[in-house]
Amino acid sequence: MAMIWAGIGAGKTHHHCVAIDESGHRLLPRRVANDEPDLLELLTDVLALGDEVTWGIDLADGRAALAIGVLFNHDQSVHYICGRAIHRASESYRGEGRTDAKDAAVIADQVRIRRDLHSLRTSEETVTDLRILTGRRTDLVADRTRTVNRLRAQLTDIFPGLERALALTNTGPLVLLTGYQTPAAMRRIGVKRPETWLRKRRVPRADRLAGTAVETAGRQHTSLPGKKLTAQLVHTLAAEVRVLNQQIADIDKAIEARFREHQDFKVITSMPGLGVIPGAEFLAATGGDMSFFSNADRLAGFGGVAPVPRGSGRISGNLRRPRRSNRRLQRAFYISALFSIRHCEDSRRFYERKRAEGKRHIQAVPALARRRVNVLWALLRDGRPYEAEPPTAQAA
């Protein structure tokens, strides 16, 4: 049986593919357009080279989505190798130059000799939708953070006291800034007028917010240069943040509605601290299929919460955070661990025990996240929700 290994260096408009045999000899180097007819022609030509083909690729979605879909539709085995691994591996091959064709050859050879690469799998529709929705939510949250930072900077230029007094991610302060931006305007209108204006827009605790703003304005009588134009920018940025808040709220509802359709929704959300958004991030990153992870250690390693040793010679026992991990999954594990400290007695006791042992906060939280991975993996393996008291085996 002739074995063939094919590596694909994915690009936006074109991919580079190199197929090799058991000895590493190049059989088919080709540049192919990111278009279905061309990809099908490539697949036919590679399959004609041997009896069994194993594919490797440097992207798991995005620009490589069509190529991966074509391979999956023809029952091909596809492995993923990250760009960093390709870059490091290419240093051991002849030549210092780097081209897309060389990357494709390195991918093919690495798939041939390595046994620890992740196999890509087809995802069910719910998981695919959650991956899209959570990715969009991440973009919106990043846009909101940037816009809030710009808003803070502009408001500080003309009214630093108000910037310090307001929580600019909340609806009330944002509504206020769409109507009033300068200390002179707030001093002139007094408290009643902005309070009434805020109440009409259904802002909670409008009296307190208006009083804080007017009181802060009373402490600044200096008119700063550019206040008129800056006030316009503050108005625009505050309106943009409100729009982003609404978009995030809408996509949160869409995520929850889609997440509830998955069979593991109740199991995942039963874990204290692992609510809808972190749970959806977990499902989007892992697919929810624990058979892909032979044990909890592999899941922890994939999620970046299992420390890796770093020692050499006489140096031993040093541990560091892993660099090869899924960052979104790692973030979901950390956020859920932080929430569980406040809402779960068992998690709080574990965290406090680690602090009593001399661990810092940034050490105790990852330790808690790692422990929680064991629990989550077992719950998904058994298909049962979390219980504060584990079930006891009944005597026969």
Side-chain angles (χ1 to χ4, degrees), residues 13-15 32-41 66-67 70:
T13 59
H14 290 80
H15 305 319
V32 58
N34 189 17
D35 196 40
E36 185 169 351
D38 298 275
L39 293 171
L40 288 172
E41 181 182 353
L66 179 58
V70 169

Side-chain angles (χ1 to χ4, degrees), residues 155 158-166 176 182-184 186-187 191 208-222:
L155 187 58
I158 60 172
F159 201 168
L162 188 62
E163 188 276 331
R164 292 192 303 269
L166 299 183
L176 175 68
T182 63
M186 292 185 180
R187 287 196 311 271
V191 175
R208 184 183 304 177
L209 178 58
T212 299
V214 174
E215 180 186 356
T216 305
R219 296 196 294 268
Q220 179 178 332
H221 294 269
T222 301

Side-chain angles (χ1 to χ4, degrees), residues 6 18 21 28 66 97 129 131 140 144 167 213 233 291 352 362 367 384 395:
V18 172
D21 58 16
L28 184 146
L66 179 58
D129 290 349
R131 188 175 295 119
L140 288 174
R144 181 177 63 180
L233 293 176
S291 63
E352 291 174 351
I362 60 174
R384 60 181 177 86

Side-chain angles (χ1 to χ4, degrees), residues 173-319:
L174 293 172
V175 173
L176 175 68
L177 291 177
T178 59
Y180 308 95
Q181 301 86 27
T182 63
M186 292 185 180
R187 287 196 311 271
R188 184 171 58 253
I189 60 176
V191 175
K192 289 298 181 182
R193 185 174 172 183
E195 179 183 341
T196 303
W197 188 81
L198 290 171
R199 288 188 188 279
K200 289 181 178 179
R201 286 155 180 80
R202 299 179 180 179
V203 173
R205 295 189 291 274
D207 54 342
R208 184 183 304 177
L209 178 58
T212 299
V214 174
E215 180 186 356
T216 305
R219 296 196 294 268
Q220 179 178 332
H221 294 269
T222 301
S223 179
L224 299 175
K227 65 177 182 179
K228 185 175 181 179
L229 180 57
T230 304
Q232 295 175 357
L233 293 176
V234 168
H235 171 275
T236 301
L237 291 170
E240 290 178 3
V241 177
R242 291 190 66 195
V243 171
L244 288 168
N245 282 342
Q246 185 59 51
Q247 291 178 342
I248 292 172
D250 292 341
I251 207 165
D252 284 350
K253 294 179 182 177
I255 289 173
E256 181 173 2
R258 201 70 177 100
F259 189 15
R260 286 183 179 275
E261 298 176 6
H262 195 270
Q263 65 270 15
D264 291 327
F265 172 79
K266 292 184 178 180
V267 176
I268 294 173
T269 55
S270 67
M271 276 282 292
L274 196 61
V276 171
I277 300 303
E281 291 276 7
F282 168 80
L283 199 61
T286 64
D289 183 8
M290 291 301 100
S291 63
F292 181 70
F293 305 97
S294 56
N295 51 49
D297 293 337
R298 289 201 62 180
L299 176 60
F302 181 71
V305 295
V308 295
R310 187 177 184 180
S312 178
R314 297 181 179 179
I315 300 176
S316 62
N318 286 348
L319 299 175

Side-chain angles (χ1 to χ4, degrees), residues 64-76:
L66 179 58
I68 295 172
V70 169
L71 294 175
F72 280 163
N73 289 342
H74 291 80
D75 299 322
Q76 297 296 296

